[in-house]
Amino acid sequence: MRLVLAALALFCLGLLSLFFGVSDVSPLAVLTGQADEKAVLVLLASRLPRTLALVLAGSGLAVCGTLMQMLARNRFVEPSTAGTVESASLGMLIALIVSPGMPVLGKMAFAAVFALAGTALFLAILRRIPLRSVVMVPLVGLMLGGVIYSVAAFIAYRLNMMQTLAAFQAGDFSSVLRGRYEILWLSFAMTVAAYIAADRFTLAGLGEEFATNLGLNYRRILMLGLIIVSMVTACVVVTAGIIPFLGLIVPNVVSMVMGDSLRRTLPWTALLGAGLVLACDIIGRIVVWPFEVPVGAVLGVLGSAFFLFLLTRRQSRAA
């Protein structure tokens, strides 16, 4: 029942996103068939694709954050604190250099391969760090992300593509139109795959030795998790850019309330992730009306505050 109410709340946010903006689109006129051609075009070509993109990206990234936290066994890990999004941005940049006219699917493939390599490198570095603390893990990820971004910035500077690289960092859905978001349905498929394998990911989160003793092929499930994370991250970066801290906020809130069984928590994580991105997008449309603040900027503020909250909470418990 609570899940149905959460889905209903998400539906209401989606309706608000459809009919809220600078262009006047009246829901009553649309329902009665009295809306003019311009309003219908704005609704079908811009508002509806944008809303769907927000929902798909939010749910996918929130689930990715959960998977990364289970595999790294650390609550501070998510794509923007593990070098994953920076690796995807580097892949996008390389794709544009190799073939500027490459189709979206090809760019996504480049971004996914680089995101997979960057995330695998992050996990490999973690295995070599003795006695790693809770705070050390995201610190390593942020440092790795900084190095990867520096490489991308150097390449972009030499080839006069800094503005292109900056566009990957924006996390902006204002330019999402019909025909430019459909690749996010692939991230939805990956999210469904994560739910199907939820029990295996829960076991993997208990550690390699424990999971292996229970008969789980730990390396195979680790690779599956990396593929899901890299594909979803690549789809979102190609469509809208980097959305920071979403995979940090949502999984931790859900875990505080419902525990760590992914079979139970993943639907809530997906719904809350989609709702949070929708809410941040609506806030971004309001604060500097009639202009917009990108979703990435709004979530960056909220995520930074939540990250500090988690740090102080951990420290107070340790004390």
Side-chain angles (χ1 to χ4, degrees):
M1 183 62 182
R2 288 185 298 174
L3 195 62
V4 174
L5 291 176
L8 183 61
L10 177 64
F11 179 74
C12 293
L13 277 174
L15 286 179
L16 183 59
S17 175
L18 284 176
F19 297 104
F20 182 82
V22 176
S23 298
D24 185 24
V25 180
S26 169
L28 183 60
V30 171
L31 289 174
T32 57
Q34 298 177 354
D36 57 25
E37 292 185 5
K38 179 183 176 182
V40 173
L41 180 63
V42 169
L43 180 65
L44 297 181
S46 176
R47 297 278 178 81
L48 182 59
R50 177 174 184 166
T51 301
L52 289 173
L54 288 163
V55 170
L56 295 172
S59 59
L61 284 178
V63 169
C64 281
T66 303
L67 295 185
M68 292 191 71
Q69 289 169 18
M70 295 299 288
L71 297 177
R73 302 177 68 187
N74 187 285
R75 288 294 174 193
F76 295 113
V77 175
E78 63 108 25
S80 65
T81 62
T84 306
V85 292
E86 290 83 3
S87 300
S89 297
L90 177 59
M92 275 283 291
L93 184 66
I94 297 299
L96 290 174
I97 294 171
V98 172
S99 177
M102 184 181 295
V104 174
L105 194 61
K107 296 175 184 176
M108 187 278 298
F110 264 82
V113 170
F114 275 76
L116 178 62
T119 309
L121 176 60
F122 168 71
L123 293 176
I125 292 173
L126 288 188
R127 289 187 176 183
R128 297 179 181 274
I129 298 178
L131 301 175
R132 64 191 189 205
S133 68
V134 173
V135 180
M136 180 64 70
V137 174
L139 181 61
V140 170
L142 291 171
M143 291 170 62
L144 176 62
V147 171
I148 295 171
Y149 177 76
S150 297
V151 172
F154 175 76
I155 296 172
Y157 177 76
R158 294 298 298 268
L159 298 177
N160 197 26
M161 298 179 68
M162 286 299 295
Q163 193 169 7
T164 302
L165 182 62
F168 302 154
Q169 315 295 316
D172 186 10
F173 286 83
S174 62
S175 61
V176 172
L177 300 171
R178 183 172 55 198
R180 295 185 57 184
Y181 83 98
E182 285 78 4
I183 198 170
L184 283 172
W185 288 108
L186 180 58
S187 75
F188 175 73
M190 293 292 103
T191 304
V192 173
Y195 180 74
I196 293 173
D199 294 331
R200 293 178 175 84
F201 285 120
T202 301
L203 290 177
L206 300 175
E208 181 176 2
E209 183 177 347
F210 188 87
T212 303
N213 289 337
L214 291 176
L216 181 71
N217 189 325
Y218 181 82
R219 293 189 179 277
R220 183 178 298 173
I221 200 66
L222 177 65
M223 182 54 64
L224 175 62
L226 291 179
I227 290 173
I228 291 173
V229 169
S230 60
M231 292 287 285
V232 172
T233 302
C235 289
V236 175
V237 170
V238 167
T239 303
I242 295 175
I243 304 176
F245 296 119
L246 179 64
L248 175 73
I249 299 173
V250 176
N252 277 284
V253 170
V254 173
S255 177
M256 289 176 188
V257 177
M258 306 187 68
D260 293 327
S261 174
L262 296 193
R263 179 69 63 187
R264 182 186 179 197
T265 61
L266 278 187
W268 284 97
T269 301
L271 284 175
L272 187 56
L276 181 59
V277 173
L278 274 172
C280 289
D281 183 65
I282 293 170
I283 291 171
R285 300 184 212 182
I286 295 173
V287 290
V288 289
W289 180 276
F291 305 103
E292 292 189 19
V293 176
V295 173
V298 178
L299 266 172
V301 174
L302 294 178
S304 300
F306 190 77
F307 187 73
L308 292 174
F309 165 73
L310 286 179
L311 283 177
T312 54
R313 182 171 178 266
R314 295 269 181 174
Q315 289 175 356
S316 63
R317 281 190 171 187

